[in-house]
Amino acid sequence: MTLNMGPQHPSTHGVLRFVIKADGEVMREAIPDVGYLHRSIEKIAEKVGYHGFMPYTDRVDYVCAMFTNQGWAMACEKLAAIEVPRRGEYCRLIAAEFNRLASHLLTVGLMGMDIGAMTPFLHALREREMINDLIEELCGARLTFNYMRIGGVAWDLPPGWREKALAYLDHLDPILDEFNALFSYNKICVQRLANVAAISAKEAIDYNLVGPNLRASGVKWDVRKDIPYSVYSDFDFEIPIGSGEWGTIGDAMDRYMMRIREMVQSSRILRQALTRMPEGPVLAKVVRNFRPPAGECQIRVESARGDQGWYVVSDGSSYPWRVRVRTGSFAAMGIIQKLSKGLMIADLVVLIASLDVIAPEIDR
Amino acid sequence: MGAAVYFQHIKEALATIFDGMAVTASHMIRKPYTIQYPDRIPVRVQDTLPFRYRGILDVDLEICTGCLACDRACPIDCIAMAIEKNAQTREIIISQFDIDIAKCMYCGLCSEPCPTGAIHHTTEFEGADYSLESLIRRFIAEPVVAYKPKKGPEPEPDLARLLERGMKYVDEWAQPGADKAPASAAKPAPAPKPATPARTPATTRTPAKPAAVAAAKATDPAPVTEKREVAENTADAASAETAINSPAVGERNASNAPPSAAKEDAGKNGEESNEGTAPSGPKNSPS
Amino acid sequence: MFGANASHEWAVATAIVVACVLVLFVIAVPFASIVTWVERRVWARIQSRVGPNRVGPNGFLQWLADGIKHVCKEDVIPDEADAPLFKFAPYLVVLAFILPWAVMPFSSELILADLNIGILYMTAITALTVVGVLMAGWSSNNKWSLIGGIRSAAQIISYEIPAGLSIFPVVLMTGTLSMQGLIRAQAWEPYHWFIFANPFCFAAAIILFVSSLAENNRTPFDLPEAESELVAGFATEYSSMRYLFFFMAEWGNMFIAAAIIVTLYLGGWQVPHLGFNLAVINLLQFISFLVKVLVLVFVSMWIRGTLPRVRIDQMMSICWKYFVPLGFINMIGTAIWVAFFPHGNRLMAMVMFALGIAIVAAFGWRVAYFTRRSRMELYFHPTI
């Protein structure tokens, strides 16, 4: 029987469509159909110029916009050999890690909602709202931040923000424990998620998975540690790896728990960063009519969804020649068709939620 | 499944459900985290929003200098301005200033280069209306003379008040500067890890890159000093950190060359660098 | 019918009809409607939000507004659907909801019909839902509805067995199937309730509660209805009043399921012997019954707000691998117990009661632990 899980659906993360070929409950194949959210953002870059493209990068992945901002800024800085002041790098890191927290909160909440528990979703969103309030004080917006600029960040930390941020981190730790007690360790959740769609390490690398999806399969790869950028090498944090303690290595439970553990590590990084921020400017001197020399550059940023690649080609004018973003969600869509054989329809929802697929990132 | 595993499943189910229900029970007795907007709240939400909040744009026309920096900076072309320069009096007349707030993406790129803070984001977010026409905010009824910033403090009290608010807004933005410490641990920007080995078509271009970078470095100082339209502290980098104490408007605008002159400079430099580096552009297309 | 006692019988018949109508329209249907408002408020407080509070005082008339909205909607019947079956299916489901009210023991005198097979009648009638659901799923001419209908039918039929097995212990202990008889065998003190009589009854009560959740398509077993792939399962193609019938039946069945558990295990309408006149005693008994049922309905809503849903194969495995064997063990254990202690054992009842109190105390301690640890209130927006 051929079913259509259409673009309008309560549980696909964005506008996605699947054509499901099923034998009763068990699927033979689920063919994803992407492209519903394509907005030609990469082409728009060629029209608006380097500075003007920064707000558009927010829309590439609106759930974790700081990372796309950072990727674009770093690419332009590499093209023009601009050095970001140290305090600017710290501001970037703090904003990025808060955004990682917010994005992972949304993901674990959505996993709850997709398997039927509405309460964890709302609890996670409540915490995310508090982070949004913090970031709103920092840069004026709650979702599409446009916080970073080529050469640094646009605003310094407002007075009193550091104390508020540290107080929030203290508040978040018991909330994460409570969330785990309510949802993650619940027997029904474990039964729904464990041993579902296990991805082996070789498969994960073959299919180009990145980020928590890759690490859940046991591959220790994190751009922050392996190709350190910004000031990440100054900080002491761990990279959680999937160990299959709930089922098999690389199953949906591992991918889900990666995000919970990464939240704990982000909190750790944030505490270190907030307590030892250096003084200084946050923005380097960059001309208004930014015109990097001709050339190309490639940048990798560890976003909440994984290794995000930016490839920018400049021809020396004030408009880029080509911008290309490579996001983790696009690769994750490719593995869904292969994994769906033998899964039940209810497991397809779990699979999509555990891969943390966000539609705007797939189609840009 | 052995008996031990069987009873362990039952025990785990009961224990985790007990815990989960305790969590939800604890939430039932706590206060809900709901803002009952718009009527059951003690203060207006707009008054609780932070100063940097990027709401609907507003223009204080009395202090607009007509420099067109916002028009140029907007990435989505939602600002339409028309100015003329009166040859005799050397005044700038602004005849049109429209902002289409339906198009605006609230990015803040227009208020960043404004020298006086005339265009700024407010904390208003309730802009819904019945007609699309009303979403184009027209700030000019009849042509007005642009504001000319004074060398010292502004004498007129009304304008001074607006200017103070505007400069307060502008000073929130980061002041550009460079790190003082020479032995800082910041990584040098042009020392990247090489691109992934699978990208063989790029090898033809790598010889050109160092040359292009060198050429850029050679021409870099010139564009930086001439094309700067952003109001910056022209003092040396050491005093960049003290830029929080905002200088008077006059000092800020000392480097703000009239728009026409800057455009001419931009045009000249554009031609130069385009000639120098254009050839590498079209070769990119096949890859 | 006609003859010397004709007028007397006519009066009795009319009185019975009036009583039935009264029970249905004063208790059953309003309960099924008002409970939607209560559920939304309870659910919202669990989720740190407020719930409907605008329509009427504290949002109390929300159910009325929803009902009126549903009635005013267009009644859409799909072209390819089997129209007679499509229209008839909701009525079957509502029938399964209405009929058990005939044996609902509100108090010692207030019962429409004290059948001597009361509990068997109730269990049998609630199984009528299956026919209605299957009919709805099939006649909708929609693959998703069909999947939902079949799943729901499988679920309800499967969970009838643990439910029936959990009724057996009490029947073995009292020897009667009548509702009033089962209640009269208990007393008002909690340690005289059957739930604490022996550990088998304790386990049987829990199994009965969970099975009744499954029968009513409530979370964690609400696969047929709120599953992410099905908009509303077997009821996807239904609109307006027909849709409301399905869900009124579901919420009303919550009351019936709770009433079964209260009757069998929690002492029913039993109240202490106070020297009031009959009317007041009956009123107190009614209130006692109602309070116990509402507490169980509240627990059912609370579970809905806490747990995720189980997959269909896990649900079947829970039923057949866990509940049915445990149900049999309970039944056989109680039979052996009754052989040794025909009139119950006071000591065991007190021990089980103490265990129950201990569980509730541990629960309260855990709630206090969570409330103390995460101080959410410190980070509120100034407008809250």
Side-chain angles (χ1 to χ4, degrees):
Chain A
M1 151 163 92
T2 305
L3 298 162
N4 177 43
M5 204 155 141
Q8 290 157 322
H9 203 94
S11 82
T12 53
H13 293 207
V15 190
L16 293 176
R17 178 171 168 248
F18 290 92
V19 177
I20 301 176
K21 298 200 167 85
D23 283 329
E25 275 294 331
V26 179
M27 290 193 299
R28 266 184 284 133
E29 209 181 17
I31 305 169
D33 184 13
V34 300
Y36 285 90
L37 213 57
H38 179 66
R39 296 152 290 164
S40 314
I41 290 188
E42 294 174 357
K43 181 71 183 172
I44 288 177
E46 302 171 18
K47 183 179 170 296
V48 293
Y50 291 90
H51 287 294
F53 188 58
M54 191 62 83
Y56 285 95
T57 58
D58 292 330
R59 276 93 175 153
V60 167
D61 180 0
Y62 41 69
V63 174
C64 48
M66 291 291 189
F67 298 104
T68 47
N69 276 352
Q70 190 171 14
W72 174 246
M74 282 169 63
C76 297
E77 284 150 17
K78 188 166 157 185
L79 275 175
I82 296 172
E83 188 175 313
V84 178
R86 220 166 135 65
R87 190 177 165 93
E89 290 282 18
Y90 268 76
C91 283
R92 278 189 179 178
L93 188 139
I94 289 171
E97 291 300 318
F98 263 120
N99 206 357
R100 193 190 306 276
L101 270 178
S103 172
H104 283 326
L105 277 169
L106 182 70
T107 303
V108 301
L110 278 177
M111 171 63 86
M113 192 169 81
D114 283 343
I115 68 177
M118 303 291 173
T119 313
F121 176 62
L122 283 158
H123 289 178
L125 247 64
R126 181 193 67 213
E127 299 309 312
R128 187 168 173 261
E129 282 299 301
M130 297 183 194
I131 296 183
N132 278 353
D133 282 339
L134 274 176
I135 300 188
E136 192 187 35
E137 274 185 36
L138 178 66
C139 74
R142 300 170 77 88
L143 192 72
T144 48
F145 306 121
N146 198 21
Y147 178 54
M148 309 200 183
R149 298 285 185 270
I150 301 173
V153 295
W155 291 273
D156 203 344
L157 304 187
W161 194 85
R162 222 167 70 166
E163 288 73 34
K164 280 193 214 173
L166 283 166
Y168 174 76
L169 291 172
D170 290 331
H171 151 83
L172 186 67
D173 292 333
I175 294 272
L176 280 179
D177 291 334
E178 197 182 86
F179 190 87
N180 283 337
L182 170 63
F183 183 64
S184 319
Y185 300 146
N186 194 321
K187 182 97 180 111
I188 300 178
C189 171
V190 171
Q191 263 191 327
R192 277 302 288 269
L193 284 154
N195 294 320
V196 167
I199 304 178
S200 67
K202 180 177 183 313
E203 260 180 359
I205 298 178
D206 283 343
Y207 274 87
N208 235 349
L209 292 182
V210 287
N213 300 333
L214 181 66
R215 293 194 276 280
S217 298
V219 180
K220 198 176 174 91
W221 174 261
D222 188 327
V223 183
R224 293 175 291 174
K225 287 271 197 201
D226 295 298
I227 315 177
Y229 60 97
S230 182
V231 284
Y232 277 104
S233 45
D234 289 352
F235 292 98
D236 172 35
F237 61 102
E238 286 163 13
I239 308 291
I241 308 280
S243 56
E245 56 187 323
W246 300 94
T248 21
I249 288 193
D251 60 7
M253 190 67 187
D254 262 345
R255 292 193 283 275
Y256 169 81
M257 286 308 285
M258 280 305 101
R259 298 186 167 96
I260 302 262
R261 291 189 188 139
E262 276 189 16
M263 276 202 269
V264 175
Q265 296 301 319
S266 281
S267 175
R268 212 170 133 186
I269 299 178
L270 276 167
R271 255 185 246 276
Q272 294 169 42
L274 284 166
T275 42
R276 47 183 164 107
M277 275 203 77
E279 298 298 321
V282 291
L283 182 63
K285 292 190 169 101
V286 175
V287 295
R288 186 67 25 199
N289 193 358
F290 185 70
R291 205 178 283 179
E296 62 183 22
C297 75
Q298 190 193 30
I299 287 287
R300 298 164 82 158
V301 167
E302 179 73 21
S303 99
R305 262 152 215 97
D307 181 353
Q308 195 174 79
W310 284 82
Y311 172 64
V312 182
V313 178
S314 153
D315 60 352
S317 71
S318 42
Y319 299 97
W321 179 256
R322 171 82 171 105
V323 173
R324 162 93 173 105
V325 189
R326 179 256 184 238
T327 52
S329 302
F330 190 71
M333 291 307 284
I335 204 173
I336 288 180
Q337 185 165 358
K338 176 183 180 299
L339 286 174
S340 58
K341 193 175 175 60
L343 279 187
M344 301 185 79
I345 297 183
D347 288 334
L348 177 67
V349 174
V350 165
L351 171 62
I352 301 171
S354 70
L355 286 174
D356 197 6
V357 167
I358 290 275
E361 217 186 34
I362 304 172
D363 307 325
R364 298 178 298 282
Chain B
M1 183 184 357
V5 180
Y6 187 86
F7 284 108
Q8 195 204 0
H9 281 172
I10 299 179
K11 184 179 79 75
E12 271 176 16
L14 288 172
T16 52
I17 293 179
F18 180 86
D19 241 2
M21 291 187 58
V23 170
T24 42
S26 74
H27 272 90
M28 272 197 266
I29 55 183
R30 293 190 235 185
K31 201 169 161 210
Y33 188 73
T34 309
I35 302 177
Q36 300 204 40
Y37 168 83
D39 49 350
R40 298 187 192 179
I41 40 181
V43 299
R44 277 176 80 233
V45 175
Q46 285 86 339
D47 299 333
T48 64
L49 292 171
F51 187 61
R52 295 182 188 177
Y53 186 76
R54 305 205 297 256
I56 297 181
L57 283 169
D58 190 24
V59 179
D60 285 334
L61 216 56
E62 295 89 343
I63 50 175
C64 172
T65 58
C67 64
L68 291 183
C70 55
D71 191 352
R72 277 192 292 267
C74 178
I76 204 166
D77 300 328
C78 73
I79 302 182
M81 282 179 75
I83 61 170
E84 308 149 345
K85 203 151 158 94
N86 192 330
Q88 288 89 16
T89 55
R90 312 216 61 207
E91 277 174 345
I92 299 175
I93 317 271
I94 312 173
S95 50
Q96 184 197 17
F97 200 138
D98 298 339
I99 300 181
D100 186 351
I101 63 169
K103 259 190 168 183
C104 174
M105 51 174 167
Y106 304 97
C107 61
L109 287 179
C110 56
S111 27
E112 201 173 342
C114 182
T116 54
I119 185 168
H120 55 270
H121 284 279
T122 54
T123 55
E124 266 308 314
F125 52 87
E126 292 168 346
D129 210 328
Y130 288 100
S131 74
L132 205 52
E133 288 305 311
S134 61
L135 291 179
I136 302 182
R137 302 278 165 97
R138 298 178 204 280
F139 290 96
I140 303 248
E142 48 183 44
V144 294
V145 175
Y147 174 68
K148 198 148 178 82
K150 313 287 187 298
K151 285 281 186 248
E154 168 64 44
E156 257 183 89
D158 294 333
L159 289 180
R161 199 170 27 88
L162 283 175
L163 210 55
E164 198 184 306
R165 190 231 178 271
M167 294 313 293
K168 181 163 162 261
Y169 186 83
V170 170
D171 289 335
E172 287 281 318
W173 296 84
Q175 309 304 322
D179 262 344
K180 271 193 306 184
S184 65
K187 284 179 204 347
K193 249 187 139 84
T196 49
R199 286 189 50 249
T200 39
T203 48
T204 53
R205 227 181 294 117
T206 36
K209 201 162 61 167
V213 169
K217 275 199 180 308
T219 57
D220 222 9
V224 161
T225 49
E226 283 180 14
K227 292 187 296 183
R228 176 172 304 153
E229 291 155 13
V230 138
E232 298 176 43
N233 202 342
T234 49
D236 57 287
S239 65
E241 290 156 30
T242 59
I244 296 300
N245 308 322
S246 62
V249 177
E251 284 175 23
R252 272 184 163 265
N253 284 326
S255 59
N256 189 9
S260 47
K263 274 197 190 143
E264 285 167 33
D265 287 344
K268 272 192 286 196
N269 271 332
E271 285 163 32
E272 282 170 12
S273 24
N274 262 338
E275 280 166 18
T277 55
S280 52
K283 287 206 192 100
N284 273 344
S285 25
S287 58
Chain C
M1 182 68 106
F2 304 99
N5 291 333
S7 59
H8 174 64
E9 283 172 3
W10 271 110
V12 166
T14 319
I16 290 178
V17 168
V18 166
C20 289
V21 166
L22 223 67
V23 163
L24 277 181
F25 283 97
V26 171
I27 301 180
V29 173
F31 173 81
S33 318
I34 295 177
V35 79
T36 59
W37 170 74
V38 174
E39 166 156 48
R40 285 168 74 171
R41 294 287 295 211
V42 164
W43 215 13
R45 286 309 289 266
I46 291 177
Q47 294 164 353
S48 307
R49 54 188 182 89
V50 176
N53 64 345
R54 298 288 163 132
V55 185
N58 267 332
F60 182 70
L61 298 178
Q62 182 74 41
W63 57 274
L64 198 61
D66 282 340
I68 294 176
K69 175 201 82 165
H70 271 100
V71 169
C72 294
K73 273 197 199 180
E74 176 188 356
D75 182 23
V76 176
I77 299 182
D79 228 3
E80 304 281 333
D82 194 343
L85 286 181
F86 189 85
K87 290 180 197 165
F88 190 54
Y91 299 134
L92 272 179
V93 173
V94 169
L95 198 66
F97 156 60
I98 287 179
L99 287 177
W101 291 87
V103 294
M104 196 72 73
F106 292 111
S107 81
S108 52
E109 308 290 326
L110 294 176
I111 182 169
L112 279 178
D114 188 9
L115 302 177
N116 57 353
I117 51 158
I119 195 71
L120 182 64
Y121 168 84
M122 259 195 169
T123 316
I125 294 289
T126 49
L128 204 56
T129 331
V130 178
V131 184
V133 162
L134 266 177
M135 210 188 270
W138 176 261
S139 62
S140 298
N141 193 41
N142 180 344
K143 282 178 202 163
W144 298 105
S145 297
L146 184 62
I147 295 180
I150 293 179
R151 273 186 192 167
S152 181
Q155 182 180 325
I156 297 178
I157 294 177
S158 300
Y159 278 89
E160 288 282 343
I161 297 179
L165 286 174
S166 304
I167 297 176
F168 271 132
V170 178
V171 171
L172 280 173
M173 281 167 45
T174 53
T176 168
L177 282 171
S178 113
M179 304 288 268
Q180 300 285 45
L182 288 166
I183 295 178
R184 289 208 170 92
Q186 304 172 65
W188 70 273
E189 298 99 333
Y191 44 85
H192 281 141
W193 292 346
F194 280 148
I195 189 174
F196 298 121
N198 59 55
F200 301 109
C201 282
F202 193 73
I206 295 178
I207 291 179
L208 181 61
F209 182 67
V210 179
S211 305
S212 65
L213 283 181
E215 298 232 354
N216 292 337
N217 291 342
R218 300 281 300 174
T219 317
F221 305 105
D222 64 348
L223 247 113
E225 98 191 1
E227 173 69 62
S228 37
E229 83 218 39
L230 309 165
V231 175
F234 52 86
T236 313
E237 295 285 346
Y238 283 85
S239 59
S240 88
M241 204 58 208
R242 300 182 206 280
Y243 183 81
L244 256 193
F245 272 153
F246 281 117
F247 288 93
M248 182 176 76
E250 177 190 315
W251 277 303
N253 273 329
M254 269 198 331
F255 189 103
I256 295 174
I260 294 177
I261 299 175
V262 165
T263 310
L264 291 175
Y265 287 103
L266 293 177
W269 41 252
Q270 295 275 9
V271 286
H273 287 292
L274 306 160
F276 293 127
N277 63 353
L278 204 60
V280 174
I281 289 184
N282 270 307
L283 184 67
L284 286 176
Q285 286 171 340
F286 179 63
I287 292 176
S288 153
F289 177 77
L290 217 59
V291 165
K292 290 179 194 173
V293 167
L294 291 178
V295 166
L296 275 183
V297 168
F298 169 76
V299 172
S300 161
M301 290 179 201
W302 181 8
I303 289 186
R304 184 176 189 188
T306 310
L307 297 178
R309 65 178 82 92
V310 293
R311 216 169 54 199
I312 185 78
D313 61 327
Q314 291 164 356
M315 180 166 31
M316 287 297 148
S317 112
I318 290 177
C319 173
W320 294 100
K321 290 193 203 166
Y322 289 87
F323 282 175
V324 168
L326 288 175
F328 274 118
I329 292 175
N330 286 335
M331 187 174 83
I332 296 172
T334 314
I336 298 175
W337 179 270
V338 166
F340 282 111
F341 300 106
H343 299 290
N345 186 339
R346 195 63 185 275
L347 179 63
M348 178 55 89
M350 300 304 268
V351 166
M352 293 301 297
F353 182 53
L355 179 69
I357 301 267
I359 292 178
V360 171
F363 189 79
W365 179 83
R366 197 90 178 123
V367 170
Y369 167 76
F370 282 121
T371 317
R372 246 178 313 143
R373 266 198 98 199
S374 48
R375 310 288 303 154
M376 205 177 71
E377 296 77 18
L378 299 176
Y379 304 97
F380 276 171
H381 197 267
T383 50
I384 293 181

